Amino acid sequence: MATFFEGESHTFSEYLLVPGYSSSENIPANVSLKTPLCRFKKGEQPRITLNIPMVSSIMQSVSGERMGVALATEGGMSFIYGSQTPESEAAMVKWVKDYKAGVVESDSTLTPDMTMEQVMDLKERTGHSTMPVTDDGTPHGKLLGIVTSRDYRPSRDDHQAKVATFMTPREELVTGTKETTLKVANDIIWDNKLNALPIVDENDHLVGIVFRKDYDSHKSNPDELLDANKRYMVGAGINTRDYAKRVPLLLEAGADALCIDSSEGFSEWQKLTIDWIRENYGHDVIVGAGNVVDAEGFRYLADCGADFVKVGIGGGSICITRETKGIGRGQATALIDVCRARDEYYKETGVYVPVCSDGGIVYDYHMTLALAMGADFMMLGRYFARFDESPTNRVNVNGQYMKEYWGEGSARARNWQRYDLGGAAKLSFEEGVDSYVPYAGSLKDGVGMTIYKIKSTMCNCGANSIHELQQKARLTLVSSTSIVEGGAHDVVLKDHNQSVSYH
Ligand code: IMP
């Protein structure tokens, strides 16, 4: 006889938090969102603590190198997508690790034989007026000069004039080297009354530019997630097939954590992958595993030595796994079950294995619910895909800006390693869709607002830390009519673009 799980399986939208007593100490400024990324023994500290409980999904349309930098700047961690060659994934990891905060890669580089007209066009498109000139027109070519808006006057000069005739040439430029710290760059800029300082390598190739406005990057990003060498931290997705080749390259590139990316992780393949990593690297390497949706799955992966366990099957916004295969579980129910198992495991063994809630977060408050239900952090796809820093195009769809977002199991990504069950390597049917999500501006602004909302709700629950929230939170299931009650209802909205529910 099959096993029947008791009760129904629920999603986040079916829950609400009932506020608890809050004291005058419960204000957002006092709330810490620090949370463990990886397993630790009672009384010890985890090797990595995230400063905000967010990681970005291991997906082509979400986690490229720019996402890696942007999210680490805010205190979370990206997991660079694994559905690419091990070499290109490792190059993305290295890009993040080599990134020097404040040193910007130019997106408007010129060659000496371009015309003033082309310079004006480029300025119009990028909005940037400081343009380095390199021999091959790439951001890392040999530096030949710089053009700023002080070098030409469109109203008077010949628009066909060549860049070489009006740029400030290399010999007149003050530059920094790769060893120049931001503080020194800052001093050079002030001493020489500059607006920008190009940084060059030992062969006089451009590395990037430090702009006047970026000096205080560290001061304005107090939560940034840095390693012992003050480099941004970044994670990387791996699969259960080519780890012997991929893992060494990712570690060499500097990956701080790995995560097995699989749609269903209660399997021997995950054990074999973790065993291989332990045999070759011991416990130095942090590796998360998943995805599972129940206590049994959690315990299996915890016993295999996973550093964290990811929960969620079928709840992702681009996911059609439940429709195509009929597997999965409501995300809230799965999370609650797994977090209970994590707490029991901790009591029994003295080892805490953090739980990551992956997929199905639609509203910001779902994140607070996930934390209250026991999640240590959340993995988000759709949420991050909407920002400037995701690797996809911004497109205008019927007058509204959108970003592209596609599933790893879609025909577009063809990430067969995530979905196959061993044997012949192929994705035989789709488990995800290709879609648009509304463009949402910069990650910094979006994450800033979300974090503020989470902290405010935590204050309503009388909690100044995630741990306290998990102890104190009081959750209630809501009926379908009270879900309608929760939105604006029985009023006529003045803004006709907003939808409204009626009883
Ligand atoms: P979202 O935050 O709701 O958009 O969900 C993102 C999560 O969906 C990812 O972190 C993956 O766990 C999962 N996912 C990614 N691609 C697919 C797919 O094609 N089908 C099913 N699930 C997917």
Side-chain angles (χ1 to χ4, degrees):
M1 175 83 180
T3 301
F4 286 87
F5 281 76
E6 271 178 31
E8 294 174 335
S9 80
H10 296 284
T11 61
F12 291 128
S13 285
E14 291 167 87
Y15 281 91
L16 281 177
L17 279 158
V18 179
Y21 168 74
S22 46
S23 79
S24 56
E25 292 295 306
N26 296 124
I27 54 168
N30 289 346
V31 177
S32 160
L33 290 178
K34 283 185 184 296
T35 191
L37 175 83
C38 50
R39 64 163 62 209
F40 60 93
K41 287 203 188 100
K42 200 174 186 161
E44 292 179 4
Q45 290 296 316
R47 275 176 295 160
I48 296 182
T49 299
L50 299 171
N51 291 329
I52 60 169
M54 293 182 178
V55 302
S56 64
S57 288
I58 309 167
M59 298 173 72
Q60 293 174 3
S61 50
V62 180
S63 297
E65 62 272 55
R66 286 180 197 280
M67 181 60 66
V69 167
L71 185 49
T73 305
E74 300 313 309
M77 188 188 271
S78 276
F79 282 85
I80 302 290
Y81 64 91
S83 51
Q84 57 180 326
T85 63
E87 289 79 8
S88 57
E89 187 183 7
M92 285 190 178
V93 168
K94 186 165 180 327
W95 195 93
V96 179
K97 297 307 289 183
D98 286 348
Y99 187 88
K100 235 175 143 191
V103 181
V104 178
E105 186 177 290
S106 166
D107 65 354
S108 32
T109 312
L110 308 171
T111 55
D113 57 357
M114 286 168 81
T115 62
M116 188 181 298
E117 192 167 30
Q118 287 174 304
V119 173
M120 285 160 18
D121 278 353
L122 199 55
K123 184 179 167 202
E124 174 71 24
R125 261 188 288 141
T126 63
H128 296 146
S129 54
T130 301
M131 305 181 186
V133 185
T134 60
D135 57 347
D136 58 3
T138 67
H140 299 298
K142 198 170 167 51
L143 182 65
L144 300 178
I146 244 186
V147 170
T148 70
S149 36
R150 278 181 293 182
D151 294 318
Y152 59 98
R153 262 199 298 180
S155 58
R156 203 195 59 179
D157 299 341
D158 173 10
H159 288 193
Q160 296 312 311
K162 300 279 190 215
V163 163
T165 65
F166 60 88
M167 69 183 185
T168 305
R170 172 70 185 95
E171 54 278 15
E172 291 174 28
L173 291 177
V174 184
T175 54
T177 67
K178 275 169 128 177
E179 284 68 45
T180 309
T181 61
L182 266 191
K183 185 173 176 320
V184 172
N186 182 4
D187 293 341
I188 299 175
I189 288 174
W190 278 95
D191 293 347
N192 294 279
K193 296 190 165 75
L194 305 172
N195 274 325
L197 181 75
I199 305 290
V200 291
D201 67 11
E202 53 288 358
N203 301 316
D204 218 31
H205 281 241
L206 187 62
V207 173
I209 303 176
V210 178
F211 288 94
R212 188 175 269 265
K213 59 178 184 317
D214 285 326
Y215 295 155
D216 52 1
S217 154
H218 287 280
K219 279 188 218 133
S220 55
N221 302 308
D223 280 334
E224 59 191 354
L225 191 67
L226 303 174
D227 65 17
N229 298 315
K230 301 249 177 294
R231 301 178 306 174
Y232 284 125
M233 285 207 189
V234 67
I238 60 170
N239 61 70
T240 54
R241 287 180 162 267
D242 65 10
Y243 45 83
K245 168 141 199 241
R246 193 175 292 268
V247 169
L249 289 178
L250 293 173
L251 295 177
E252 209 174 293
D256 295 282
L258 306 174
C259 182
I260 306 174
D261 180 30
S262 171
S263 64
E264 201 275 290
F266 190 2
S267 81
E268 192 182 353
W269 302 109
Q270 303 244 333
K271 179 173 168 20
L272 295 173
T273 308
I274 297 173
D275 284 351
W276 185 88
I277 292 175
R278 297 298 176 230
E279 269 158 35
N280 288 276
Y281 298 95
H283 289 269
D284 289 345
V285 172
I286 293 174
V287 54
N291 284 9
V292 296
V293 285
D294 69 348
E296 235 180 301
F298 170 85
R299 187 161 278 263
Y300 176 76
L301 293 180
D303 283 341
C304 288
D307 281 295
F308 61 88
V309 172
K310 222 145 53 74
V311 179
I313 295 179
S317 57
I318 30 51
C319 180
I320 51 172
T321 297
R322 290 188 198 161
E323 283 167 38
T324 47
K325 284 164 98 178
I327 60 165
R329 200 174 186 197
Q331 184 64 11
T333 304
L335 184 60
I336 293 166
D337 195 7
V338 169
C339 290
R340 244 180 231 141
R342 175 208 49 206
D343 293 344
E344 276 164 24
Y345 193 80
Y346 183 51
K347 245 188 236 155
E348 262 173 58
T349 64
V351 177
Y352 188 88
V353 181
V355 167
C356 169
S357 177
D358 178 14
I361 299 279
V362 181
Y363 301 109
D364 287 349
Y365 85 87
H366 286 173
M367 296 190 209
T368 325
L369 281 176
L371 295 171
M373 288 169 182
D376 294 281
F377 56 99
M378 287 83 58
M379 179 169 270
L380 308 151
R382 188 198 60 84
Y383 176 83
F384 285 120
R386 303 168 308 142
F387 296 129
D388 285 323
E389 293 82 355
S390 71
T392 68
N393 296 321
R394 187 179 80 163
V395 283
N396 190 323
V397 183
N398 303 327
Q400 228 198 323
Y401 277 128
M402 297 278 179
K403 292 274 283 187
E404 292 184 291
Y405 179 43
W406 61 93
E408 286 296 295
S410 67
R412 182 165 179 183
R414 299 203 63 76
N415 180 358
W416 51 263
Q417 291 108 327
R418 187 171 199 273
Y419 296 94
D420 76 350
L421 296 168
K426 62 178 190 298
L427 177 68
S428 38
F429 55 86
E430 291 170 36
E431 292 195 36
V433 298
D434 189 358
S435 67
Y436 292 122
V437 286
Y439 168 66
S442 79
L443 180 142
K444 188 174 200 61
D445 291 346
V447 167
M449 177 54 80
T450 301
I451 291 294
Y452 193 76
K453 285 190 202 164
I454 294 175
K455 288 182 172 178
S456 304
T457 311
M458 285 171 64
C459 290
N460 295 138
C461 298
N464 279 357
S465 71
I466 293 174
H467 182 68
E468 223 182 320
L469 176 71
Q470 290 166 352
Q471 306 304 309
K472 291 187 172 173
R474 302 180 311 156
L475 293 139
T476 181
L477 266 172
V478 291
S479 68
S480 48
T481 42
S482 57
I483 291 175
V484 174
E485 184 188 62
H489 61 92
D490 301 296
V491 293
V492 178
L493 287 184
K494 292 182 181 169
D495 178 353
H496 295 290
N497 287 326
Q498 289 182 24
S499 58
V500 65
S501 346
Y502 290 97
H503 285 137

